[in-house]
Amino acid sequence: MTDRKAGPNPDRKRALRGRAGRMQGGRGSGRASTGQVRLWGHHAVEAALMNPERSHRKLWATREAIAGLAGELPEGFTVEYAQAADLARLVTRDTPHQGLVLECAPLEETGLDEVLNSADGQVIVVLDQVTDPHNVGAILRSAAAFGAAAIVTQDRHAPPESGVVAKSASGALEVVPWVRVVNLARAMEQMAEAGYWRIGLTGDAETTLGDALPTGPVALVLGAEGDGMRQNIAGHCDALARLPIGDAIESLNVSNAAAIALYAVATRGN
């Protein structure tokens, strides 16, 4: 059965709507088309649909899930209704798609210069070899919650933009710039030149984060769980600090540590 196109919605307060037939054959490959990204989950899909910087290709959805979306679909947008079991074939195994799967183009790359020119002192989160997409997504979510200017990763040691990242970010992938750089140490030098005080989080530091925080712009640097920051990256920090956790547990998940550190920056001096 061929797809139909969604027409314009005259009432902007109504939920997103589209018209289409059932998924042809009720099956999907589980892979996005070449050069496309496949997103799933209510918050991730809704945020992507409302992001004017996204180029969308197609939405698969149950009728119940699409009725719960806010906003409106672009005129002529392709929607294909499907059963939840059919949607499960479009995504990775045991994925909570919540009745929505969106295929779209990746976001345009953001340059570090662009972020530094517009950050206005907002905190920047630097991730050194944090490769778990769930962690990166969760950090994006915390970054959005506490008003971070961007997250910065090295392009070879970070997960690609994906449905897993977007689902974990719960919509934050669309609002927090994700800067990918070739040389993370050089990027940190640029931050210093822009007036940022670079604080690396490590459990081995003697100083706590609260004592290390300055009054000016801060870049929080976090390393991968287990290995932590690489020596060269730690050497590019202006200070190393630890979170004051108790002896009952050795360390925190990197996404939890990022959330606590972002809160500390947001509330310093309060």
Side-chain angles (χ1 to χ4, degrees):
M1 182 177 292
T2 58
D3 299 330
R4 302 177 190 170
K5 304 293 184 179
N9 189 338
D11 184 355
R12 300 192 66 85
K13 294 184 179 180
R14 294 180 61 192
L16 285 160
R17 292 291 187 271
R19 298 184 61 213
R22 288 283 307 282
M23 280 181 61
Q24 187 171 8
R27 295 179 182 273
S29 66
R31 295 192 300 271
S33 303
T34 303
Q36 301 290 307
V37 175
R38 191 165 287 173
L39 310 180
W40 52 78
H42 177 89
H43 293 297
V45 169
E46 183 176 79
L49 287 170
M50 298 178 71
N51 182 2
E53 302 300 320
R54 278 281 189 192
S55 176
H56 309 107
R57 177 177 177 270
K58 186 174 183 177
L59 175 66
W60 293 270
T62 64
R63 294 182 182 275
E64 294 79 12
I66 204 170
L69 291 171
E72 66 176 16
L73 289 170
E75 183 177 358
F77 191 79
T78 303
V79 182
E80 189 169 349
Y81 289 120
Q83 299 298 317
D86 294 333
L87 293 177
R89 302 176 184 274
L90 297 172
V91 298
T92 54
R93 184 180 296 275
D94 298 325
T95 293
H97 54 71
Q98 297 178 304
L100 297 163
V101 180
L102 175 69
E103 194 163 284
C104 54
L107 290 168
E108 293 289 332
E109 292 187 4
T110 302
L112 181 58
D113 288 341
E114 181 182 350
V115 168
L116 293 174
N117 289 336
S118 61
D120 194 27
Q122 294 166 276
V123 62
I124 294 175
V125 180
V126 180
L127 303 180
D128 181 29
Q129 301 196 104
V130 177
T131 58
D132 187 324
H134 296 91
N135 281 333
V136 173
I139 291 169
L140 279 165
R141 186 175 186 177
S142 295
F146 292 106
I151 70 165
V152 179
T153 65
Q154 189 173 8
D155 56 3
R156 292 186 297 108
H157 298 291
E161 182 181 339
S162 68
V164 175
V165 171
K167 181 68 169 61
S168 299
S170 193
L173 179 62
E174 309 299 323
V175 296
V176 177
W178 182 353
V179 179
R180 296 174 180 269
V181 298
V182 175
N183 189 319
L184 197 59
R186 175 56 191 142
M188 292 174 65
E189 291 172 2
Q190 287 182 254
M191 294 175 204
E193 292 166 3
Y196 274 80
W197 187 255
R198 304 156 302 178
I199 301 179
L201 292 183
T202 172
D204 298 329
E206 295 183 2
T207 305
T208 62
L209 178 59
D211 292 334
L213 284 175
T215 56
V218 172
L220 295 171
V221 187
L222 297 97
E225 292 181 50
D227 294 337
M229 286 179 293
R230 289 172 293 172
Q231 183 176 356
N232 183 41
I233 299 304
H236 277 79
C237 292
D238 299 297
L240 299 178
R242 61 178 174 83
L243 297 176
I245 62 175
D247 296 332
I249 189 168
E250 181 179 354
S251 62
L252 292 172
N253 173 280
V254 64
S255 63
N256 291 333
I260 294 170
L262 284 164
Y263 172 80
V265 174
T267 57
R268 58 183 164 174
N270 293 348

